[in-house]
mmCIF file of all heavy atoms in Angstrom:
data_model
loop_
_atom_site.group_PDB
_atom_site.id
_atom_site.type_symbol
_atom_site.label_atom_id
_atom_site.label_comp_id
_atom_site.label_asym_id
_atom_site.label_seq_id
_atom_site.Cartn_x
_atom_site.Cartn_y
_atom_site.Cartn_z
ATOM 1 N N TYR A 169 20.197 20.794 -49.260
ATOM 2 C CA TYR A 169 19.591 20.032 -50.359
ATOM 3 C C TYR A 169 20.346 20.324 -51.646
ATOM 4 O O TYR A 169 20.470 21.471 -52.058
ATOM 5 C CB TYR A 169 18.091 20.298 -50.543
ATOM 6 C CG TYR A 169 17.233 19.321 -49.811
ATOM 7 C CD1 TYR A 169 17.086 19.404 -48.377
ATOM 8 C CD2 TYR A 169 16.546 18.293 -50.451
ATOM 9 C CE1 TYR A 169 16.315 18.473 -47.700
ATOM 10 C CE2 TYR A 169 15.747 17.396 -49.743
ATOM 11 C CZ TYR A 169 15.632 17.501 -48.421
ATOM 12 O OH TYR A 169 14.863 16.581 -47.702
ATOM 13 N N ASP A 170 20.862 19.249 -52.293
ATOM 14 C CA ASP A 170 21.529 19.392 -53.572
ATOM 15 C C ASP A 170 20.507 19.024 -54.629
ATOM 16 O O ASP A 170 20.212 17.848 -54.891
ATOM 17 C CB ASP A 170 22.742 18.409 -53.572
ATOM 18 C CG ASP A 170 23.530 18.490 -54.867
ATOM 19 O OD1 ASP A 170 23.233 19.287 -55.726
ATOM 20 O OD2 ASP A 170 24.470 17.682 -55.017
ATOM 21 N N LEU A 171 19.955 20.054 -55.270
ATOM 22 C CA LEU A 171 18.901 19.835 -56.223
ATOM 23 C C LEU A 171 19.439 19.433 -57.579
ATOM 24 O O LEU A 171 20.231 20.140 -58.202
ATOM 25 C CB LEU A 171 18.045 21.107 -56.376
ATOM 26 C CG LEU A 171 17.399 21.637 -55.114
ATOM 27 C CD1 LEU A 171 16.579 22.895 -55.429
ATOM 28 C CD2 LEU A 171 16.569 20.628 -54.432
ATOM 29 N N GLY A 172 19.007 18.273 -58.024
ATOM 30 C CA GLY A 172 19.484 17.786 -59.312
ATOM 31 C C GLY A 172 20.789 16.998 -59.192
ATOM 32 O O GLY A 172 21.389 16.628 -60.203
ATOM 33 N N GLY A 173 21.279 16.815 -57.962
ATOM 34 C CA GLY A 173 22.517 16.046 -57.782
ATOM 35 C C GLY A 173 23.664 16.640 -58.610
ATOM 36 O O GLY A 173 24.390 15.901 -59.249
ATOM 37 N N GLU A 174 23.780 17.974 -58.624
ATOM 38 C CA GLU A 174 24.811 18.711 -59.411
ATOM 39 C C GLU A 174 24.714 18.448 -60.888
ATOM 40 O O GLU A 174 25.665 18.486 -61.601
ATOM 41 C CB GLU A 174 26.233 18.559 -58.895
ATOM 42 C CG GLU A 174 26.888 17.186 -58.969
ATOM 43 C CD GLU A 174 26.770 16.375 -57.710
ATOM 44 O OE1 GLU A 174 26.058 16.791 -56.783
ATOM 45 O OE2 GLU A 174 27.405 15.326 -57.667
ATOM 46 N N GLU A 175 23.483 18.121 -61.374
ATOM 47 C CA GLU A 175 23.195 17.907 -62.779
ATOM 48 C C GLU A 175 23.962 16.830 -63.443
ATOM 49 O O GLU A 175 23.449 16.098 -64.229
ATOM 50 C CB GLU A 175 23.424 19.225 -63.572
ATOM 51 C CG GLU A 175 22.915 19.089 -65.007
ATOM 52 C CD GLU A 175 23.929 19.544 -66.030
ATOM 53 O OE1 GLU A 175 25.134 19.491 -65.786
ATOM 54 O OE2 GLU A 175 23.467 19.961 -67.103
ATOM 55 N N LEU A 176 25.204 16.654 -63.009
ATOM 56 C CA LEU A 176 26.061 15.717 -63.700
ATOM 57 C C LEU A 176 25.745 14.267 -63.279
ATOM 58 O O LEU A 176 26.556 13.604 -62.674
ATOM 59 C CB LEU A 176 27.546 16.049 -63.431
ATOM 60 C CG LEU A 176 27.884 17.513 -63.831
ATOM 61 C CD1 LEU A 176 29.345 17.773 -63.482
ATOM 62 C CD2 LEU A 176 27.619 17.742 -65.281
ATOM 63 N N CYS A 177 24.552 13.837 -63.584
ATOM 64 C CA CYS A 177 24.122 12.452 -63.360
ATOM 65 C C CYS A 177 24.059 12.072 -61.902
ATOM 66 O O CYS A 177 24.141 10.885 -61.540
ATOM 67 C CB CYS A 177 25.039 11.510 -64.115
ATOM 68 S SG CYS A 177 24.724 11.529 -65.856
ATOM 69 N N CYS A 178 23.919 13.011 -61.011
ATOM 70 C CA CYS A 178 23.667 12.675 -59.585
ATOM 71 C C CYS A 178 24.720 11.728 -59.022
ATOM 72 O O CYS A 178 24.403 10.741 -58.318
ATOM 73 C CB CYS A 178 22.296 12.034 -59.424
ATOM 74 S SG CYS A 178 21.762 11.751 -57.767
ATOM 75 N N SER A 179 25.986 11.981 -59.284
ATOM 76 C CA SER A 179 27.052 11.118 -58.741
ATOM 77 C C SER A 179 27.195 11.306 -57.245
ATOM 78 O O SER A 179 27.791 10.470 -56.572
ATOM 79 C CB SER A 179 28.361 11.446 -59.436
ATOM 80 O OG SER A 179 28.848 12.686 -59.071
ATOM 81 N N GLY A 180 26.713 12.447 -56.710
ATOM 82 C CA GLY A 180 26.841 12.724 -55.290
ATOM 83 C C GLY A 180 28.229 13.223 -54.872
ATOM 84 O O GLY A 180 28.484 13.446 -53.660
ATOM 85 N N ALA A 181 29.067 13.483 -55.854
ATOM 86 C CA ALA A 181 30.447 13.879 -55.514
ATOM 87 C C ALA A 181 30.479 15.240 -54.780
ATOM 88 O O ALA A 181 31.215 15.427 -53.838
ATOM 89 C CB ALA A 181 31.318 13.961 -56.771
ATOM 90 N N LEU A 182 29.646 16.170 -55.241
ATOM 91 C CA LEU A 182 29.620 17.511 -54.589
ATOM 92 C C LEU A 182 29.079 17.377 -53.183
ATOM 93 O O LEU A 182 29.557 18.075 -52.274
ATOM 94 C CB LEU A 182 28.834 18.470 -55.462
ATOM 95 C CG LEU A 182 29.049 19.965 -55.128
ATOM 96 C CD1 LEU A 182 30.514 20.364 -55.266
ATOM 97 C CD2 LEU A 182 28.170 20.854 -55.995
ATOM 98 N N ALA A 183 28.067 16.581 -53.035
ATOM 99 C CA ALA A 183 27.497 16.333 -51.693
ATOM 100 C C ALA A 183 28.587 15.779 -50.749
ATOM 101 O O ALA A 183 28.680 16.202 -49.589
ATOM 102 C CB ALA A 183 26.324 15.429 -51.770
ATOM 103 N N LYS A 184 29.339 14.832 -51.223
ATOM 104 C CA LYS A 184 30.402 14.270 -50.398
ATOM 105 C C LYS A 184 31.488 15.273 -50.085
ATOM 106 O O LYS A 184 32.016 15.306 -48.931
ATOM 107 C CB LYS A 184 30.971 13.075 -51.113
ATOM 108 C CG LYS A 184 30.038 11.838 -51.097
ATOM 109 C CD LYS A 184 30.650 10.576 -51.721
ATOM 110 C CE LYS A 184 30.607 10.607 -53.246
ATOM 111 N NZ LYS A 184 31.024 9.332 -53.795
ATOM 112 N N GLN A 185 31.810 16.153 -51.009
ATOM 113 C CA GLN A 185 32.760 17.226 -50.770
ATOM 114 C C GLN A 185 32.233 18.146 -49.702
ATOM 115 O O GLN A 185 32.956 18.687 -48.822
ATOM 116 C CB GLN A 185 33.096 18.001 -52.038
ATOM 117 C CG GLN A 185 33.868 17.191 -53.081
ATOM 118 C CD GLN A 185 35.305 16.988 -52.675
ATOM 119 O OE1 GLN A 185 35.873 17.722 -51.832
ATOM 120 N NE2 GLN A 185 35.954 16.050 -53.275
ATOM 121 N N CYS A 186 30.939 18.379 -49.722
ATOM 122 C CA CYS A 186 30.327 19.318 -48.757
ATOM 123 C C CYS A 186 30.378 18.767 -47.354
ATOM 124 O O CYS A 186 30.757 19.517 -46.388
ATOM 125 C CB CYS A 186 28.897 19.566 -49.213
ATOM 126 S SG CYS A 186 28.174 21.122 -48.589
ATOM 127 N N VAL A 187 30.040 17.503 -47.183
ATOM 128 C CA VAL A 187 30.069 16.952 -45.782
ATOM 129 C C VAL A 187 31.499 16.768 -45.295
ATOM 130 O O VAL A 187 31.736 16.806 -44.035
ATOM 131 C CB VAL A 187 29.307 15.611 -45.688
ATOM 132 C CG1 VAL A 187 27.832 15.848 -46.026
ATOM 133 C CG2 VAL A 187 29.905 14.548 -46.630
ATOM 134 N N LEU A 188 32.464 16.624 -46.183
ATOM 135 C CA LEU A 188 33.866 16.594 -45.788
ATOM 136 C C LEU A 188 34.319 17.965 -45.277
ATOM 137 O O LEU A 188 35.062 18.085 -44.261
ATOM 138 C CB LEU A 188 34.740 16.150 -46.912
ATOM 139 C CG LEU A 188 34.736 14.677 -47.272
ATOM 140 C CD1 LEU A 188 35.553 14.401 -48.524
ATOM 141 C CD2 LEU A 188 35.275 13.815 -46.112
ATOM 142 N N ALA A 189 33.883 19.058 -45.983
ATOM 143 C CA ALA A 189 34.288 20.383 -45.584
ATOM 144 C C ALA A 189 33.567 20.900 -44.350
ATOM 145 O O ALA A 189 34.138 21.710 -43.576
ATOM 146 C CB ALA A 189 34.081 21.327 -46.768
ATOM 147 N N TYR A 190 32.321 20.405 -44.128
ATOM 148 C CA TYR A 190 31.508 20.916 -43.033
ATOM 149 C C TYR A 190 30.979 19.770 -42.241
ATOM 150 O O TYR A 190 29.872 19.207 -42.559
ATOM 151 C CB TYR A 190 30.383 21.807 -43.548
ATOM 152 C CG TYR A 190 30.860 22.941 -44.406
ATOM 153 C CD1 TYR A 190 30.794 22.838 -45.825
ATOM 154 C CD2 TYR A 190 31.460 24.086 -43.869
ATOM 155 C CE1 TYR A 190 31.244 23.905 -46.598
ATOM 156 C CE2 TYR A 190 31.926 25.081 -44.644
ATOM 157 C CZ TYR A 190 31.861 25.054 -46.032
ATOM 158 O OH TYR A 190 32.289 26.057 -46.783
ATOM 159 N N PRO A 191 31.652 19.316 -41.227
ATOM 160 C CA PRO A 191 31.295 18.107 -40.432
ATOM 161 C C PRO A 191 29.920 18.138 -39.785
ATOM 162 O O PRO A 191 29.399 17.100 -39.458
ATOM 163 C CB PRO A 191 32.418 18.012 -39.407
ATOM 164 C CG PRO A 191 33.554 18.770 -39.959
ATOM 165 C CD PRO A 191 32.939 19.896 -40.749
ATOM 166 N N GLU A 192 29.378 19.347 -39.614
ATOM 167 C CA GLU A 192 28.113 19.460 -38.916
ATOM 168 C C GLU A 192 26.902 19.380 -39.851
ATOM 169 O O GLU A 192 25.735 19.333 -39.400
ATOM 170 C CB GLU A 192 28.006 20.772 -38.114
ATOM 171 C CG GLU A 192 29.137 20.964 -37.088
ATOM 172 C CD GLU A 192 29.112 19.810 -36.067
ATOM 173 O OE1 GLU A 192 28.056 19.447 -35.620
ATOM 174 O OE2 GLU A 192 30.218 19.336 -35.721
ATOM 175 N N CYS A 193 27.142 19.375 -41.129
ATOM 176 C CA CYS A 193 26.038 19.468 -42.073
ATOM 177 C C CYS A 193 25.600 18.073 -42.587
ATOM 178 O O CYS A 193 26.387 17.093 -42.511
ATOM 179 C CB CYS A 193 26.365 20.329 -43.294
ATOM 180 S SG CYS A 193 27.348 19.506 -44.564
ATOM 181 N N THR A 194 24.391 18.012 -43.079
ATOM 182 C CA THR A 194 23.905 16.823 -43.781
ATOM 183 C C THR A 194 23.421 17.326 -45.210
ATOM 184 O O THR A 194 22.919 18.421 -45.324
ATOM 185 C CB THR A 194 22.682 16.156 -43.088
ATOM 186 O OG1 THR A 194 21.626 17.081 -42.970
ATOM 187 C CG2 THR A 194 23.135 15.649 -41.739
#
Side-chain angles (χ1 to χ4, degrees):
Y169 265 74
D170 183 3
L171 302 183
E174 66 264 9
E175 186 229 28
L176 304 178
C177 286
C178 187
S179 69
L182 196 59
K184 287 185 279 188
Q185 291 288 340
C186 204
V187 297
L188 285 174
Y190 304 102
E192 301 302 318
C193 82
T194 60

